[in-house]
Amino acid sequence: MLYQIFETQRSIMEPFSDLAQAAAKLFSNPLNPMSQTPLAQRTSAGYALMHRLGKDYEKPEFGIRTVKVNQVDVAIHERIEIDKPFCELRRFKRFSDDADTLMQLKSQPAVLIVAPLSGHYATLLRDTVKTMLQDHKVYITDWKNARLVPLSDGEFHLDDYINYVQEFIRHLQSIYGNCHIVSVCQPTVPVMAAVSLMASRGEKTPLTMTMMGGPIDARKSPTSVNNLATNKSFEWFENNVIYRVPANFPGAGRRVYPGFLQYTGFVAMNPDRHAKSHYDYFKDLIKGDDASTEAHRKFYDEYNAVLDMDADYYLETIATVFQDFKLVNGTWDVKGVDGKFERVRPQDIKGTALMTVEGELDDISGSGQTRAAQDLCSGVPASERQHLEVPGAGHYGIFSGRRWRDIVYPELVKFILNHVPKTTAKTAVAAQPQATEAPKVVVQAFAPSAPEKAIASQATPASAAKPSAQEAVKPAAKTATVATAKPVVAKPATPAASKPAVKAPTKSTVKAATKTAAKSATPPLSKASGKGTASGSVKTTWVDPST
């Protein structure tokens, strides 16, 4: 009944929210005489705030139209590569008419970003995607709102999530031969399970696996999110937070964990912060601070847009990750597409390099929860494992905002480039982003002699790089040296009197010179332009301006 009550309340509030928006525009319109009254700005700001508090927030778009690659604007075309009942594999295809940029784009590695299915849409990772498009071919999992999925499409379990991830990995491998995978928050656990199962079967696994702010071992530094899951029984969750979708949606009758309950939980974690943010928005409207008000709208348009999760998936995640800790206890069995159960064994992963990232102030995935993956993946050589802790970063700061762009991303790019085929690395390494000066980052490299003991080293992304990253740069640096021009030394001018006399050209001399110039004017042949014809013309070949 709670879902139906919420929808009824939302339907009642919707016309009042629209009326408040109209009133806000009325009192702020300079052509309206009432806008010149003393309280007009406050009245308009109050109505604008009322509109935002009462409106319904739909799924936002990624809205990435262009990105800069080496100061060249590259067009982005967003398209659906694979459409599954509960998820779309979305690709951001890049186009450029600059020949050098195009060749560089084609040589860059392919990355699969696995977005969280935990209440928000994949657009929460917009900044992550936009930044990575500068140096990678980017794909992302775009999870669907369960209330929009008809009952005829069946149920969705945690095992299905893992099978989806494996299918997407194989899809990228079939196109590019290999790929890299990045998981943010909730998907770190199912992604590790997916890669582990592929390794156990002897399948090709991603070249690198990066895990950011996820509950690999939720027993470490438990947060309020972990405490809620452990203090309540499985039956409590099943009886108190699972509801059926109302009749006015395509997924009518489906059992879901409603997005509005998840949103309420998010706000309840920091109610004072959200109240202050809305009050600041009200004051900024009165002051006419357009930049601050627009930043507020962008953030809450994303934050307030939530989706429903299928009940089976949600409950199984609670039990597997937060109550039984099946991954770290080695008791997790996953049902494959063939109906057979397989044990998840992270120690079977051997050919995939591992990077873990944590925020110092993360209040959702506590300190040490993501780093626990380093101990589970004991089959990965110590030299192929890396851990990064970001000072002053909260949960969102490790994949969005200034700390993501200035601290995390430069390290991630170097890590990926260190594990790409050498032929690709030679071209791609020149496009590494230059990090701006930022707080010192704790990068832990695992010594081969002591795999389980981390050695911390202080480094700033702008000035210091690990030896492995320097080795990856060597091939490109060597090539650049060959192309460097030698300094030209000017010779002293020869006195005019000492120059030999030049004979006047004769008719025969001019005729011979004309023939020679005509021959040299024939366009040179190249692989891109094709072979010359017998008559001296050039046959051009079309090159796909995309990557």
Side-chain angles (χ1 to χ4, degrees), residues 286-297:
I286 295 175
K287 291 185 296 184
D289 188 347
D290 295 337
S292 298
T293 55
E294 184 60 25
H296 176 94
R297 292 189 196 100

Side-chain angles (χ1 to χ4, degrees), residues 238-264:
E238 190 171 22
N239 296 329
N240 291 277
V241 301
I242 302 300
Y243 298 92
R244 292 193 180 275
V245 177
N248 55 324
F249 293 102
R254 179 179 294 280
R255 295 172 67 247
V256 298
Y257 173 56
F260 68 84
L261 285 182
Q262 184 76 331
Y263 171 76
T264 303

